[in-house]
Amino acid sequence: QTSLRLVLPQLGEIAAKLSLHPQGIRIQLDAGDPASAQLLAQQRIALQQGMETSGLQLVEMKVHHEAKG
């Protein structure tokens, strides 16, 4: 399992956890902004297609809004 935290110009802070399993990759994304979480969820198919082009199988992707407080 790998975890990373990014601060992206258009999406803000994103925390990602990636787990490699025999069936493929599981991804959990936590966005600091609800609009960013919605955009990431909407782009799931594009991410899946890009990963498959690279020979990786996306078996699960969860997107959450991580409220700061």
Side-chain angles (χ1 to χ4, degrees), residues 53-68:
T53 299
S54 299
L56 301 169
Q57 180 69 33
L58 179 63
V59 294
E60 181 179 45
M61 180 174 146
K62 294 181 181 179
V63 180
H64 302 280
H65 164 56
E66 183 182 88
K68 299 285 181 184

Side-chain angles (χ1 to χ4, degrees), residues 42-60:
Q42 290 171 346
Q43 294 300 315
R44 181 191 190 284
I45 299 298
L47 176 62
Q48 183 174 4
Q49 290 172 342
M51 293 179 77
E52 288 176 358
T53 299
S54 299
L56 301 169
Q57 180 69 33
L58 179 63
V59 294
E60 181 179 45

Side-chain angles (χ1 to χ4, degrees), residues 3-40:
S3 298
L4 55 112
R5 189 169 291 274
L6 305 167
V7 178
L8 303 170
Q10 295 182 355
L11 294 175
E13 187 171 342
I14 306 293
K17 293 181 184 175
L18 296 95
S19 301
L20 185 58
H21 299 274
Q23 303 86 0
I25 295 178
R26 297 181 193 281
I27 300 174
Q28 178 178 327
L29 300 172
D30 293 310
D33 180 70
S36 295
Q38 182 178 7
L39 181 61
L40 289 165

